[in-house]
Amino acid sequence: MEKLTILVVDDEIIIRDLLYRSLTRLGYNVLTACDGLEAVRMYRDHQDEIALVILDYFMPNMNGWEAHEQIRAINSNVKTVLSSGQPEAKMTLAELPGITEILIKPYLINELQDVVQSALNGVQSDKE
């Protein structure tokens, strides 16, 4: 069975590395980007490989929502998990079109795994 590829986008290197290691251990191929601009370029170059995008919401240069909109312009069916360290953002983020899942930091690896599996399966979990 072919490994699925996930694009991880976060401006904090510690979080990018943690996600890279965690998702690799869970059996995924992982590409990383440090901001929304790099994410859009990487998605454009690797869109046929990428099964899921995990985007941090608050980043310099281009935030996660702006990056998501540009990626959706490339592929309107992209599966996207939007991540934020601000729990109060969950309700607002849940209303954004095209967002498959919301992941609030900090999270445990089992929460990450559940959200990724749910997003890949196209089943939205209860975002409330």
Side-chain angles (χ1 to χ4, degrees):
M1 184 172 160
E2 186 180 335
K3 284 185 178 184
L4 297 176
T5 299
I6 297 174
L7 173 59
V8 169
V9 187
D10 201 297
D11 60 314
E12 295 182 53
I13 192 166
I14 293 170
I15 293 175
R16 264 195 330 269
D17 287 349
L18 178 65
L19 282 169
Y20 179 87
R21 287 193 312 272
S22 297
L23 292 167
T24 300
R25 267 189 239 127
L26 292 171
Y28 299 101
N29 289 324
V30 182
L31 300 172
T32 61
C34 64
D35 63 26
L37 293 171
E38 186 179 18
V40 173
R41 282 193 303 271
M42 192 163 290
Y43 189 83
R44 189 177 296 116
D45 292 345
H46 299 278
Q47 63 184 299
D48 293 336
E49 305 163 42
I50 296 171
L52 178 68
V53 179
I54 299 177
L55 278 168
D56 184 26
Y57 185 74
F58 295 103
M59 295 183 290
N61 302 321
M62 179 187 292
N63 71 34
W65 175 247
E66 293 165 333
H68 172 67
E69 285 291 284
Q70 289 196 24
I71 290 170
R72 278 185 77 206
I74 298 167
N75 175 6
S76 61
N77 295 318
V78 63
K79 294 178 180 180
T80 304
V81 172
L82 209 52
S83 180
S84 175
Q86 300 183 1
E88 65 276 6
K90 191 164 187 170
M91 294 299 291
T92 304
L93 297 178
E95 297 170 4
L96 298 175
I99 300 300
T100 310
E101 289 287 338
I102 307 295
L103 190 59
I104 300 297
K105 301 173 192 174
Y107 41 82
L108 302 173
I109 192 165
N110 62 325
E111 293 171 290
L112 173 65
Q113 182 176 18
D114 290 347
V115 165
V116 166
Q117 286 179 339
S118 177
L120 288 170
N121 292 332
V123 179
Q124 292 190 344
S125 65
D126 181 9
K127 296 180 186 177
E128 309 263 354

